[in-house]
C-alpha cells in the first residue's frame, strides 16, 4: 500500500505583519502610551508649587502614571490573542471540513501532518 505524502501544514503561528512585526493594536497602544506619558509629565511639571496646595503623594502619582499604561497594554494583548484564536479556529474548521469532505466521498481522509 502506497503512503500518501504528508502535506506541510501551518503550525498555527500567524505570520507577522509589516513594520517589524508590530500590528495595529500594538501601534495604537504605543501611541496611547506615549500620549499618556506626555500628559502625566505635563501635569507633574505644571502643578503649582504652593505650600498649601493639595498634591497627590509619590505613590498616587506613580499609580496615576502606571495603571492606565497597564490597562492599555492589557487591552492590546487581549486583542492580539483574540485575533490569533480566531485564525486558529478558522484553520481548525478548514481541517474539519476537509476531513468531512473526504469521509463523505466514501474514501478515507488523507492523513494529517503531525506536529513532529
Amino acid at each position: 500500500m502506497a503512503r500518501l505524502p504528508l502535506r506541510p501544514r501551518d503550525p498555527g503561528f500567524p505570520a507577522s505583519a509589516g513594520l517589524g512585526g508590530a500590528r495595529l493594536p500594538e501601534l495604537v497602544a504605543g501611541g496611547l502610551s506615549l500620549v499618556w506619558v506626555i500628559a502625566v509629565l505635563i501635569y507633574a511639571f505644571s502643578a503649582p508649587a504652593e505650600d498649601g496646595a493639595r498634591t497627590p503623594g509619590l505613590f498616587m502619582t506613580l499609580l496615576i502614571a502606571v495603571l492606565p499604561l497597564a490597562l492599555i497594554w492589557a487591552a492590546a494583548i487581549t486583542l492580539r490573542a483574540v485575533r490569533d484564536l480566531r485564525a486558529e479556529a478558522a484553520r481548525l474548521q478548514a481541517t474539519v471540513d476537509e476531513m468531512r469532505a473526504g469521509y463523505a466521498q466514501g474514501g478515507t481522509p488523507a492523513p494529517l501532518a503531525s506536529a513532529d
Side-chain angles (χ1 to χ4, degrees):
M1 182 170 161
R3 285 188 76 173
L4 296 174
L6 295 178
R7 294 175 291 173
R9 293 265 181 197
D10 178 21
F13 301 112
S16 61
L19 297 173
R23 296 186 217 151
L24 185 62
E26 287 87 0
L27 293 174
V28 171
L32 287 174
S33 298
L34 184 65
V35 168
W36 183 255
V37 168
I38 290 171
V40 168
L41 288 175
I42 289 171
Y43 171 75
F45 288 121
S46 67
E50 299 173 11
D51 293 332
R54 295 197 66 200
T55 58
L58 177 64
F59 177 73
M60 285 302 292
T61 302
L62 290 176
L63 193 63
I64 289 169
V66 173
L67 187 60
L69 293 176
L71 291 175
I72 289 169
W73 283 100
I77 291 169
T78 301
L79 287 173
R80 182 177 48 191
V82 167
R83 182 178 49 236
D84 291 346
L85 286 173
R86 284 183 180 171
E88 179 70 13
R91 190 182 68 80
L92 289 173
Q93 185 63 44
T95 302
V96 169
D97 290 342
E98 181 181 321
M99 291 173 67
R100 283 184 186 154
Y103 183 74
Q105 292 176 357
T108 57
L112 299 175
S114 65
D116 296 334

